[in-house]
Amino acid sequence: MVPTPSAPVFEHHAPHRLGTGEAAPRLSWLVDGAAQGYRQHAARVQVLTTTPRGQQTRSTHHLPGPDQVLVPWPSAPVASRTRIAVRVQVDDGDAWSPWGPWGHVETGLLDPADWTARPVGPPPSQDGEPGRVRATFHLPADPVHARLYLSAHGLVEAEVNGRRVGDEELTPGWTSYRHRLRYATFDVTEQVRAGENALGLWLGDGWWRGRLGFGEGVERFYGDHLAVIAQLEVVDADGERHVVSSGPGWRTGRGPVRASGLYDGEHVDLRDDDPSWSTPEHDDATWGPVVVHELDPGSALVAPTGPPVRCVEELEPVSAVEREPGRWVLDFGQNHSGRLQVRASGPAGHQLRFRHAEVLVDGELHTAPLRSALATDVLVLDGTDVEWEPRFTVHGYRYAEVSGWSGPLRPGDVVSRVLSSDVPRTGWFRCSDPLLQRLHENVVWGARSNFVDVPTDCPQRDERLGWTGDLQVFAPTAAFLFGVTGMLTSWLRDLAAEQEELDWVPPFVPYLPLPPFTELPRDPMAVWGDVAVLTPDVLHTATGDAALLRAQLPSAVRWLQHVERSAGPGRVVHDTEQLGDWLDPAAPPENPFEATTDRFLVATAYFAHAAARLAATARTLGEDRLAHEQEVLAGEVRSAFAREFLTPDGRPRDDTQTAHALATVFGLWPDERTAAAGGRRLAELVREADGRIATGFAGTPVVCDALTRAGHVEEAYRLLQSTHCPSWLYTVLQGATTIWERWDAIRPDGSVNDPTMTSFNHYALGAVADWLHRVVAGLAPAAPGYRHVLFAPRPGGTLTSAGATHSSPYGTVSIDWSLAPEGMHVEVVVPPGVTATVDLPGAPPVQVEHGRHTFHQPVPRHPDQHDQHDAQEAL
Ligand code: BGC
């Protein structure tokens, strides 16, 4: 076998990404075909750069050592618009491998001075119609290289010479526009030609001008106007460069879109469309001059660090019922984010209406949980056969109602296009319990539905905000299941920018001035604000990206300083706005923060934990003084926690699952005796509740870990496999296809909970999947980037087998175990460059290197609990 390196990838970008923002991108590669015991002694990296005019540089670099993940750029920083090709050769100590295949990436516009485009758009209209923009241009010769750099105040979709450009949706996404405005890059070489050309741009309100937020919400928050920022750069066959930039002279006119909103949907009248509008032949005499705007001087145009939103899958209805003539209710079988694509025909002026909802009541859409979001698309036909999909909206739904339909509804007439940030799937879980398998599937769909450019709380109602707490608790699960680091790098930059401006980590990023938060003091809100420390840490663990940790360090430090200031010398969080163990099942439906666990206990526990994690971050980055300060601080907070929230004999004053779980997982017990007693009490609480869960956003992610660490893994399984309300599997038995916001979003009597706050697609309570991966299947990173892996499966409950696979930065890691009367059979796969500890119940841990390894462990059905405790401690 000959080891062969893969085509390298750049930063966290997908292969062949255009318009990246790094002049010195880090490189990662995998190695295929390496023999057991393989080690990389050195690598040779060949770099080929090409400018749009075809000028090339070539260099080769010798890199001693084993590094193959996020390896610093070995060559000189590249300029804007550079096509980069890199290939790698590895030395295993005996010989050099052959060259691997080339990996490609292309930089965008790295310097603000590269931009000549200015924002241009229609005059602000009172009726809210978004309008369109177009421009024509002449090319003297055929193009050899053409790129469209595109952004907007609002949302934009481009057409060149009558054809849509690219497959990205909701461009340019949602960033904290006042600080950072993203742009997208498209290859349009095949779409432009010698002679006359036209560029047409659809506009939508999106996040810029649309209605956002709960309650009264905000509208036109970023601006009153819509505008495109478009720069088309062409090099032709004669080597001439042509730049067509949005600015004065571009034209604007009405299109068929009457209104377009993310929450409310899109209203389109095809009678006002002229498909030639984006061709040079179009007569634009009725079009007028554009209004030219300015770029916000405080806001930079930035390249994406993650993937765009795309249609990632299409769903066909699993049932279609005609409720009355022409009115159909469709079930797509799966709750998700997306929108419909329809093939329709009918007389000009005939109107079709599409509504969306997550659940049905009495066979009809139940839209109360959407609150004020209309989630309704309207299409007025022009008398021709059309295939149509709204452009600038997205809905969260499983069911859709189609009204105004004539004739039968045939397969393919209406499909649902699933929209999501196109993050690559990297994690899988399997097990012998079909209900648990479905629960895991629901977690995956929760991530897909809520990663639509920004990590949101929910995708359906008038909210869909980047709630920090939701992501904070879900991040470990997300980072296992999907390659989210690129996407979250951008979001964390926004978080730092908002924090800097507000002197506060706001509860949602991008921040919007929404009551009640505008009226409340800007207190540090635990669990939510802790995202500033904990999420960079999680992403670093998943990918080994220390630069991300470094970049977010000031934000993390600033967060802890805020908590420290607010807690004062007593080191106990008190008298502040806290969301606490949000939505524990006993909290009153209308007051979800009134959980049974004292919110200041939760906040102080998080204070200690965040200080400890910041200390660890600082150590990783070689910031030893900071590390020491934070270690001391964490110790002081732990003592304060014990004084304030534990009884003199070391029991939590709040006798709740959450209090015990936080104390256990965050290491807040004063000594081993109280820790053991706390663990026992937690197990007892679970038994007393007959396996019903009693935790909210703060307790849920840690409760199964706490039981495992305390040596009560059977009680963890009892929670996990309970089907009583409230529990995870209760939701599955009620037919959930995503994770619910509330444990009892549908009550046992079948009624839907509180109409003002019941989403069926909130990922937070799905944070248990992280435990499924690490403990049930038994696959956990034990060093950043999975360079060292811990396989420590702990069978329990009714499971007879389980497994997990993760596409780690070094390659595929996997484990499968099954139980047989003679014991446990385990098979693990370790990729080259990785070492692993295999820690099976009842056996001493074993170290392995890359390769496939099998184990037979003649253990009793129930694991040795002390081993589990030790294994978790070793992490
Ligand atoms: C959101 C949550 C969020 C919470 C905090 C809700 O409206 O949907 O998921 O974290 O508010 O207040």
Side-chain angles (χ1 to χ4, degrees):
M1 275 199 299
V2 187
T4 312
S6 67
V9 293
F10 301 81
E11 296 290 325
H12 300 287
H13 296 299
H16 294 278
R17 189 81 164 113
L18 296 185
T20 56
E22 299 85 10
R26 293 169 296 169
L27 307 171
S28 307
W29 58 87
L30 307 176
V31 178
D32 288 332
Q36 197 115 8
Y38 161 88
R39 271 206 186 80
Q40 177 185 303
H41 284 244
R44 225 179 254 151
V45 174
Q46 201 166 67
V47 177
L48 176 65
T49 70
T50 312
T51 68
R53 281 213 175 88
Q55 286 137 352
Q56 295 201 324
T57 68
R58 193 182 279 266
S59 58
T60 304
H61 309 267
H62 183 85
L63 308 178
D67 290 349
Q68 63 179 94
V69 170
L70 296 168
V71 174
W73 181 242
S75 190
V78 302
S80 297
R81 313 172 181 92
T82 305
R83 260 183 292 162
I84 303 174
V86 174
R87 59 180 184 166
V88 176
Q89 219 180 8
V90 291
D91 171 16
D92 64 3
D94 289 334
W96 283 96
S97 72
W99 285 106
W102 293 98
H104 300 270
V105 79
E106 181 181 304
T107 56
L109 303 181
L110 304 179
D111 183 345
D114 290 327
W115 284 95
T116 48
R118 294 172 65 190
V120 301
S125 70
Q126 286 313 311
D127 59 11
E129 271 198 29
R132 296 192 290 204
V133 166
R134 68 176 242 127
T136 51
F137 56 95
H138 179 85
L139 289 179
D142 275 330
V144 291
H145 180 97
R147 297 289 181 266
L148 176 63
Y149 302 99
L150 186 63
S151 188
H153 292 168
L155 297 177
V156 63
E157 191 183 294
E159 291 182 15
V160 169
N161 296 329
R163 259 179 54 216
R164 181 180 174 180
V165 172
D167 60 358
E168 304 191 4
E169 302 293 351
L170 306 177
T171 307
W174 189 17
T175 45
S176 174
Y177 294 140
R178 291 179 176 177
H179 303 102
R180 304 166 64 247
L181 176 59
R182 225 187 273 136
Y183 65 91
T185 303
F186 301 96
D187 182 354
V188 289
T189 314
E190 302 295 323
Q191 279 174 269
V192 292
R193 58 196 177 212
E196 292 306 309
N197 291 272
L199 179 61
L201 300 141
W202 295 90
L203 274 166
D205 288 2
W207 296 279
W208 180 272
R209 195 178 74 167
R211 191 159 76 82
L212 296 176
F214 46 83
E216 291 188 0
V218 291
E219 218 167 326
R220 301 181 176 241
F221 175 60
Y222 296 101
D224 260 344
H225 68 279
L226 298 181
V228 306
I229 302 158
Q231 188 161 316
L232 179 71
E233 301 194 349
V234 184
V235 174
D236 68 22
D238 299 333
E240 288 298 320
R241 189 162 167 262
H242 310 270
V243 180
V244 181
S245 296
S246 51
W250 285 35
R251 314 269 292 159
T252 181
R254 278 185 86 195
V257 182
R258 297 281 81 85
S260 137
L262 291 166
Y263 294 174
D264 294 331
E266 209 157 282
H267 182 154
V268 170
D269 190 337
L270 292 177
R271 291 171 300 179
D272 290 327
D273 201 14
D274 173 353
S276 77
W277 76 283
S278 62
T279 65
E281 294 75 37
H282 182 69
D283 174 8
D284 62 8
T286 59
W287 293 56
V290 290
V291 178
V292 181
H293 301 274
E294 293 306 322
L295 287 169
D296 183 338
S299 172
L301 277 163
V302 296
T305 54
V309 174
R310 286 198 175 96
C311 168
V312 295
E313 187 175 340
E314 283 189 3
L315 300 175
E316 295 272 353
V318 295
S319 81
V321 178
E322 192 167 19
R323 301 283 300 175
E324 49 186 285
R327 189 171 68 80
W328 294 76
V329 171
L330 311 184
D331 176 4
F332 288 94
Q334 174 60 55
N335 202 15
H336 63 285
S337 289
R339 55 201 188 201
L340 303 180
Q341 187 181 61
V342 299
R343 282 199 311 239
S345 55
H350 182 76
Q351 184 174 306
L352 296 171
R353 176 183 296 265
F354 308 94
R355 299 197 306 135
H356 306 77
E358 294 184 293
V359 285
L360 298 183
V361 170
D362 299 331
E364 298 290 351
L365 302 201
H366 181 66
T367 55
L370 307 183
R371 299 195 302 225
S372 73
L374 298 178
T376 302
D377 298 318
V378 175
L379 176 67
V380 181
L381 299 172
D382 64 354
T384 63
D385 295 352
V386 291
E387 186 176 276
W388 179 80
E389 176 187 348
R391 260 185 198 84
F392 297 123
T393 192
V394 56
H395 309 296
Y397 60 104
R398 167 174 169 173
Y399 303 94
E401 180 199 72
V402 179
S403 319
W405 195 264
S406 19
L409 206 122
R410 290 153 311 184
D413 279 350
V414 182
V415 297
S416 187
R417 310 237 310 151
V418 179
L419 292 197
S420 178
S421 286
D422 196 7
V423 285
R425 181 83 189 262
T426 55
W428 295 266
F429 170 80
R430 46 204 167 263
C431 73
S432 55
D433 178 355
L435 291 182
L436 209 51
Q437 194 67 52
R438 180 66 233 194
L439 176 76
H440 192 267
E441 202 47 26
N442 293 358
V443 173
V444 171
W445 276 101
R448 238 184 228 143
S449 318
N450 281 299
F451 290 159
V452 180
D453 206 58
V454 158
T456 58
D457 56 335
C458 59
Q460 73 297 82
R461 68 183 177 215
D462 53 0
E463 188 146 10
R464 316 184 193 184
L465 302 179
W467 280 95
T468 51
D470 302 49
L471 180 71
Q472 189 276 110
V473 300
F474 190 64
T477 301
F480 179 86
L481 293 173
F482 291 100
V484 291
T485 305
M487 173 188 134
L488 294 179
T489 296
S490 171
W491 185 78
L492 286 166
R493 282 184 193 160
D494 280 347
L495 181 138
E498 300 280 18
Q499 181 188 12
E500 172 115 23
E501 185 185 322
L502 301 163
D503 197 19
W504 180 48
V505 176
F508 34 80
V509 172
Y511 179 65
L512 304 170
L514 293 171
F517 294 100
T518 42
E519 279 111 54
L520 296 173
R522 289 182 177 171
D523 289 331
M525 282 187 284
V527 186
W528 276 254
D530 285 296
V531 73
V533 175
L534 301 179
T535 300
D537 182 25
V538 164
L539 297 176
H540 172 248
T541 303
T543 63
D545 190 345
L548 171 64
L549 215 47
R550 165 73 62 194
Q552 294 302 130
L553 186 63
S555 153
V557 169
R558 194 173 179 144
W559 159 254
L560 259 160
Q561 285 168 344
H562 193 184
V563 181
E564 192 180 338
R565 245 188 353 263
S566 138
R571 303 294 194 217
V572 170
V573 179
H574 54 87
D575 298 335
T576 44
E577 292 300 328
Q578 296 295 339
L579 296 164
D581 194 20
W582 181 259
L583 276 174
D584 92 12
E590 61 295 349
N591 276 342
F593 53 89
E594 285 181 6
T596 43
T597 308
D598 181 345
R599 67 193 84 146
F600 301 120
L601 178 154
V602 170
T604 307
Y606 254 91
F607 182 13
H609 178 57
R613 291 316 305 163
L614 181 55
T617 291
R619 285 262 176 255
T620 302
L621 296 173
E623 301 284 346
D624 289 340
R625 223 183 71 193
L626 176 65
H628 178 71
E629 277 166 25
Q630 293 300 318
E631 275 152 14
V632 171
L633 177 63
E636 290 173 8
V637 182
R638 277 195 288 267
S639 310
F641 179 90
R643 272 198 313 277
E644 186 77 14
F645 300 107
L646 303 183
T647 60
D649 61 346
R651 283 178 296 133
R653 290 183 198 282
D654 283 344
D655 191 21
T656 62
Q657 291 182 11
T658 292
H660 286 86
L662 288 173
T664 302
V665 171
F666 293 172
L668 306 177
W669 301 110
D671 51 45
E672 281 188 21
R673 185 189 57 80
T674 49
R680 276 197 302 278
R681 179 61 192 146
L682 177 57
E684 214 169 79
L685 283 171
V686 171
R687 289 194 299 272
E688 282 171 9
D690 198 13
R692 288 181 176 80
I693 192 99
T695 54
F697 275 31
T700 303
V702 288
V703 66
C704 288
D705 265 308
L707 288 160
T708 319
R709 286 190 199 196
H712 302 284
V713 75
E714 275 310 323
E715 278 76 7
Y717 275 95
R718 194 147 168 204
L719 279 181
L720 181 70
Q721 291 193 292
S722 168
T723 52
H724 301 303
C725 182
S727 67
W728 286 285
L729 296 190
Y730 165 77
T731 70
V732 174
L733 284 179
Q734 288 285 337
T737 60
T738 39
I739 301 293
W740 297 346
E741 176 174 29
R742 293 176 184 273
W743 290 110
D744 54 352
I746 292 179
R747 299 195 193 90
D749 66 6
S751 62
V752 178
N753 208 325
D754 180 26
T756 64
M757 215 189 83
T758 298
S759 139
F760 292 87
N761 205 349
H762 251 63
Y763 50 49
L765 301 179
V768 69
D770 178 46
W771 185 78
L772 296 181
H773 307 145
R774 286 183 294 106
V775 179
V776 175
L779 195 173
Y786 289 80
R787 193 155 209 170
H788 189 69
V789 174
L790 175 66
F791 293 112
R794 290 299 177 263
T798 65
L799 292 190
T800 52
S801 67
T805 301
H806 181 65
S807 297
S808 84
Y810 293 88
T812 302
V813 189
S814 93
I815 178 167
D816 280 282
W817 61 257
S818 57
L819 298 180
E822 343 52 273
M824 185 177 184
H825 175 81
V826 184
E827 185 164 311
V828 302
V829 175
V830 180
V834 172
T835 53
T837 301
V838 182
D839 177 12
L840 303 180
V846 185
Q847 304 297 321
V848 294
E849 299 209 338
H850 97 85
R852 184 179 292 270
H853 310 274
T854 51
F855 302 85
H856 298 276
Q857 183 59 31
V859 282
R861 177 79 212 308
H862 297 299
D864 177 337
Q865 324 230 296
H866 291 292
D867 278 354
Q868 174 61 26
H869 182 68
D870 294 346
Q872 295 294 324
E873 288 303 298
L875 277 178

